[in-house]
Amino acid sequence: MPETLELAPARATARAAEGSLQVDIGGSWRLQDPSPRWHALLGPEKPASVRLASPEVGSWDTSLVVFVGEALVWSRESGIPCDVSALPDKLVGLARQFEGSMQSTERIAHAQSLVVDVGISTRHALRQARGFLQFVGECWIDSTRFVLGKARFRWGDCLLEMQKCGAMALPIVSLISFLVGVTLAYSGSIVLKRFGGEIWVADLIGVAMTREMGALMAAVVLSGRTGAAFAAEIGSMKANEEIDALSVLGISSVRFLVLPRVLALGLMMPLLAMYANCLGILGGMAVAFGTLDIPPAAYWVEMLTIVDMSDVTVGMIKAVAFGLIVGLSGCLRGLQAERNASGVGRAATSAVVTAILLIIVADAVFAVLFHALGL
Amino acid sequence: MSAEPTPAIEVRGLSCSYEDVPVLENVSFCVRPAEIFFIIGGSGCGKTTLLRNLVGLEKPTQGKVLFKGRSFTDADPAERREMLRTFGMLFQSGALWTSLTLSENIGLPLEEYTDLPGDEIREIAAFKLGQVGLSGFEQHYPSEISGGMQKRAGLARALALDPGIVFFDEPSAGLDPVTARNLDVLITQVRDTFGTTIVVVSHDVDSIFGIADRVIMLDRSKRGVIAEGTPTELARAGANPKAVEFLTRRSVRPV
Ligand SMILES: Nc1ncnc2c1ncn2[C@@H]1O[C@H](COP(=O)(O)OP(=O)(O)O)[C@@H](O)[C@H]1O
Ligand SMILES: [Mg+2]
C-alpha cells in the first residue's frame, strides 16, 4: 500500500450517478482522527440505490466499520438497497455484525421524560418509606420476642460492639467535647463581659453541655464513627451473600445483626454523653480560669446554682434516643445497600446523612416536648 | 414408573422478575428424592434467580414451590422456618460469615436450631470440617483460607444440620479442575450416605456428565426451561440444539 494512502485523512465522497449514489471511501480511518459520518454525507433527496466502494482506502479500524454499518442500518430502515460488494469482505463482515448489534440492543431507558421520572422517583420514595417502616416493625417484633424470652440474644456480639462503639470512641469524644466547652466559653464570655457577669459562663456551659451539646456531640461522633461502620459492615456482608446465608438458615438478620448493635449504642450513648458533659464543663473551666480569672471552685459552685438533675436527665434521654437513631440508620442503610463495592460506600455515606438528619429533627422535637413538660 | 414418589421439590408455573423485568416465566419441574439435579444454562439466563426463588430469598411473582408436597411459597413464618431448617445452601462465593471462625460458622446453625452444649457443637463443627478435608482449620477466619477452602467450608456449613436438600450455586466456579472434581466427589458422597436431594446450578460440563442424574436447561430468550432429561439424553443428536451445543461444547448452529 502506498505511503501516501496511510497518511491521507479519512474521506468519503458521494456522487450521484443515474439516480443512484456512488460513495467512494478513501484515506486511512482511525478512531482517534476525525472521520466522516454516514448521515452527514446524505443529501436532502433520497437516492434510488447506494453503492459503496473503497478504491483507495488505506488502513482502517472500527471507525470505518461504524461508517459502513451505519450505512447498512440506514439502508434497512429506509428500504433503499445498499450495494457493498465492492468493499473488502472482512470489512463487510464486521459491518454486518455492527448492524446486528444495533438491531438487538435492548433499549433500557435510563433517562426519560419528566413525567416518567417523577413517577419513578415517587415510587422509589414510597418504597423507601415502606422499607423503613418494615425495618422498624421487624426490629420491634424481634425485640419483643427477645424480651418475652422466645428468641436468643447474642450478648457476646453486643458486648463486643459496646467495646467498639464505647470504650474505643473515648479519645475522640474527649477531644471534641473539651473543645466545644472551650469554644462556648470564649464566645459566651464576649457577651457576658459587657454585663460584667463573666462568672455566668459557668451557668451557660453547664446548661448547654448537659441539656444539648453533650448528647449531640457524642451522637455526631458516633454517627460518623460507628453508624458508618455498621452500614459498611452490613453492606459488605450483603454483597458477600452473608445476609442471604442467614436468611436461608431462617435466622433473622435483624435479630442477629441489628439488635446487638442498636442495643450496644443505646447503652453506650448515655455513658458517652455523660462523659462528654464532664469534658465540656472541664473545657469551660479551663477557659474561665485561664482568661477570665475565675477559680475552678467558684466556677463549680456557680454552675451548680442552675444545673440540676432535670438537665442531666434531659440530656440522658436524648442520648438514648440518639443512640438508637444512629444504630438503626446505620443498620438500615447497610441492609438496603446494593450488592456491590460502590453500594457499600454509598451505604456508609447515607447512614451518616440519615443519622445526622434524624438526630437534628429529634433534637427539635425534644426541645418542644421538654418545653411543654416544663423540664 | 406408575407409582412416582412425592417429588422432593415441585415447581409449578414459577415466574420471577426483578423490579418489572421478567427473568423467568412459567417454569415447572420436579426433583425426585435423593437425586442430583442440575440446572444449567448460559450466563444471565436466570439460574441463580431460580435458586433464590426456590429457597425463598426472592418472592416469585407467580407460581408455587412445594417441598415434599407442602407449599413453601404460602407457608406461614413458623412453618417456613421449619422447612428452612431442612435446607442447606452453598453460595457462589461461599458466603462464610467473615467475623466468625470456621468452627463458629459451622456451629451457628447448630446453636440456632438445637440446645446442644457448646463443647458438643464445637466437636460437631470439627467433624464436619474434617469431612470436607479442613481438619485443623477450626480457628481460622474465612479471610485466612483460600477460595477453594472457603467453598468447602461453606459446604460443611450447609451440611451442619444434616439437611434433606442441599442447593449449590456454581460450586466449581473459580476452582481449579482438581478441586472442582473433589467437590463433585463430596457431593456424591453426601447423597449416597444420607440420601440427600441435591440441586446444583452449574455450567461445568465435566460435573454435569460426572454426577448429574437429571438436568434442566434454562434459556435467556425463552425465559424458561428448554430441555429436560439425563445429560446423555440432552447431548444426543436430535435433542434441543442449544442443549447439544452446550453439552458437547460444539457449535451446531451457524455463527
Ligand atoms: N438484583 C438484580 N436486579 C436486577 N436484575 C438482576 C438482578 N440479579 C440478576 N438480574 C438479572 O437477571 C438475569 C438473570 O440473572 P442470574 O439469575 O444471576 O443469571 P445466572 O445465574 O444464570 O448467570 C440477568 O439478566 C440479570 O441481569
Ligand atoms: Mg449465577
Side-chain angles (χ1 to χ4, degrees):
Chain A
M1 218 159 277
E3 190 73 10
T4 47
L5 277 185
E6 278 302 322
L7 297 172
R11 73 192 130 76
T13 47
R15 60 195 157 81
E18 300 150 20
S20 90
L21 193 71
Q22 169 85 24
V23 178
D24 288 325
I25 300 164
S28 80
W29 290 64
R30 299 198 303 166
L31 278 175
Q32 59 268 47
D33 298 333
S35 58
R37 294 294 300 264
W38 173 255
H39 293 282
L41 203 67
L42 290 171
E45 69 271 19
K46 281 193 169 181
S49 69
V50 173
R51 193 180 135 78
L52 296 178
S54 56
E56 37 193 30
V57 74
S59 62
W60 53 271
D61 61 11
T62 305
S63 58
L64 183 55
V65 175
V66 171
F67 180 82
V68 178
E70 281 182 346
L72 291 175
V73 172
W74 169 84
S75 144
R76 176 164 46 80
E77 283 170 357
S78 61
I80 297 169
C82 179
D83 178 7
V84 290
S85 54
L87 295 177
D89 286 343
K90 274 192 239 164
L91 174 60
V92 175
L94 288 172
R96 294 248 180 256
Q97 279 180 15
F98 175 89
E99 186 199 358
S101 69
M102 287 293 104
Q103 224 165 353
S104 62
T105 305
E106 293 170 28
R107 302 236 173 259
I108 299 177
H110 286 294
Q112 288 140 329
S113 73
L114 179 69
V115 179
V116 177
D117 276 345
V118 169
I120 288 177
S121 315
T122 311
R123 219 171 60 165
H124 181 74
L126 285 178
R127 200 173 296 147
Q128 281 239 320
R130 214 182 71 176
F132 182 77
L133 288 179
Q134 202 171 345
F135 175 73
V136 172
E138 267 177 57
C139 291
W140 177 252
I141 291 172
D142 271 337
S143 43
T144 49
R145 278 173 58 85
F146 148 63
V147 170
L148 295 177
K150 278 201 225 157
R152 271 180 237 175
F153 187 74
R154 298 187 59 86
W155 283 111
D157 288 359
C158 186
L159 281 175
L160 193 72
E161 293 300 338
M162 279 164 78
Q163 185 199 351
K164 279 202 274 185
C165 73
M168 287 156 80
L170 281 180
I172 182 161
V173 171
S174 318
L175 180 69
I176 288 189
S177 35
F178 184 83
L179 291 181
V180 166
V182 167
T183 320
L184 280 179
Y186 271 117
S187 35
S189 67
I190 297 173
V191 179
L192 296 172
K193 252 184 195 159
R194 292 192 179 179
F195 304 103
E198 287 98 331
I199 186 68
W200 288 324
V201 159
D203 304 55
L204 171 77
I205 292 187
V207 171
M209 283 315 293
T210 50
R211 290 186 74 100
E212 286 291 341
M213 299 311 280
L216 206 57
M217 283 300 123
V220 168
V221 169
L222 284 212
S223 72
R225 203 180 167 276
T226 311
F230 286 177
E233 267 167 28
I234 295 180
S236 71
M237 285 185 76
K238 189 169 175 192
N240 194 23
E241 297 178 308
E242 289 174 48
I243 306 268
D244 292 334
L246 285 175
S247 312
V248 169
L249 274 171
I251 300 175
S252 147
S253 47
V254 167
R255 176 167 63 83
F256 192 79
L257 298 169
V258 178
L259 290 189
R261 288 177 163 78
V262 172
L263 186 70
L265 269 182
L267 291 176
M268 290 319 282
M269 191 68 92
L271 297 184
L272 282 175
M274 186 69 95
Y275 179 74
N277 290 346
C278 299
L279 264 288
I281 290 168
L282 207 64
M285 211 180 260
V287 173
F289 183 62
T291 65
L292 305 174
D293 288 329
I294 301 170
Y299 181 96
W300 183 253
V301 171
E302 174 57 34
M303 190 187 80
L304 288 187
T305 61
I306 188 155
V307 174
D308 61 16
M309 238 5 241
S310 77
D311 296 311
V312 178
T313 316
V314 164
M316 291 303 105
I317 292 174
K318 282 184 181 177
V320 173
F322 293 168
L324 298 182
I325 287 174
V326 170
L328 285 173
S329 35
C331 294
L332 173 68
R333 291 305 182 201
L335 287 174
Q336 286 177 337
E338 280 169 50
R339 296 170 184 278
N340 52 47
S342 66
V344 175
R346 272 200 297 276
T349 313
S350 74
V352 177
V353 174
T354 313
I356 291 187
L357 183 86
L358 290 180
I359 285 169
I360 304 287
V361 171
D363 200 24
V365 171
F366 275 128
V368 174
L369 197 69
F370 289 138
H371 178 77
L373 292 175
L375 269 170
Chain B
M1 295 250 267
S2 53
E4 282 257 352
T6 320
I9 307 173
E10 187 180 351
V11 176
R12 281 193 204 150
L14 192 77
S15 300
C16 332
S17 58
Y18 286 108
E19 307 285 320
D20 297 328
V21 186
V23 177
L24 293 170
E25 279 167 359
N26 201 12
V27 173
S28 301
F29 61 89
C30 285
V31 182
R32 298 175 195 141
E35 180 172 57
I36 299 184
F37 186 84
F38 268 58
I39 299 169
I40 65 173
S43 297
C45 68
K47 304 182 297 292
T48 302
T49 308
L50 178 57
L51 213 55
R52 292 176 65 84
N53 275 274
L54 289 187
V55 298
L57 287 173
E58 308 283 348
K59 214 171 151 52
T61 46
Q62 254 173 39
K64 268 187 190 188
V65 183
L66 293 88
F67 291 100
K68 296 216 182 86
R70 282 164 72 197
S71 170
F72 179 64
T73 320
D74 309 325
D76 61 49
E79 211 178 344
R80 205 181 159 83
R81 196 172 140 90
E82 190 194 322
M83 288 163 100
L84 285 174
R85 206 210 88 106
T86 65
F87 298 171
M89 179 150 180
L90 175 58
F91 288 86
Q92 200 162 341
S93 57
L96 296 170
W97 296 301
T98 37
S99 57
L100 304 180
T101 63
L102 294 194
S103 173
E104 288 166 343
N105 260 284
I106 291 150
L108 184 66
L110 294 161
E111 264 174 44
E112 284 292 321
Y113 283 98
T114 67
D115 292 318
L116 296 172
D119 58 333
E120 191 169 351
I121 288 180
R122 277 191 294 280
E123 279 168 23
I124 296 176
F127 168 64
K128 299 274 175 190
L129 280 172
Q131 279 187 317
V132 297
L134 286 176
S135 293
F137 288 95
E138 288 84 3
Q139 297 310 317
H140 283 59
Y141 282 93
S143 55
E144 297 167 346
I145 58 177
S146 74
M149 288 156 88
Q150 287 184 11
K151 279 234 166 121
R152 280 188 279 157
L155 176 59
R157 185 181 68 188
L159 298 176
L161 290 165
D162 296 327
I165 306 173
V166 186
F167 300 90
F168 293 84
D169 193 1
E170 307 208 0
S172 49
L175 299 187
D176 65 86
V178 177
T179 317
R181 292 295 78 72
N182 287 343
L183 206 58
D184 286 352
V185 172
L186 269 173
I187 292 173
T188 327
Q189 263 175 8
V190 169
R191 194 272 305 267
D192 293 346
T193 320
F194 300 106
T196 313
T197 307
I198 291 187
V199 178
V200 187
V201 159
S202 179
H203 41 217
D204 180 345
V205 178
D206 292 333
S207 291
I208 297 168
F209 282 105
I211 62 171
D213 293 325
R214 245 153 28 89
V215 174
I216 57 169
M217 177 153 179
L218 300 180
D219 184 69
R220 195 187 162 109
S221 53
K222 286 269 164 49
R223 298 204 187 110
V225 181
I226 55 165
E228 179 168 358
T230 64
T232 30
E233 273 168 19
L234 292 196
R236 234 189 338 247
N240 186 301
K242 279 188 182 168
V244 177
E245 181 180 347
F246 189 99
L247 290 171
T248 57
R249 289 177 269 196
R250 225 180 298 121
S251 185
V252 292
R253 294 171 299 165
V255 176

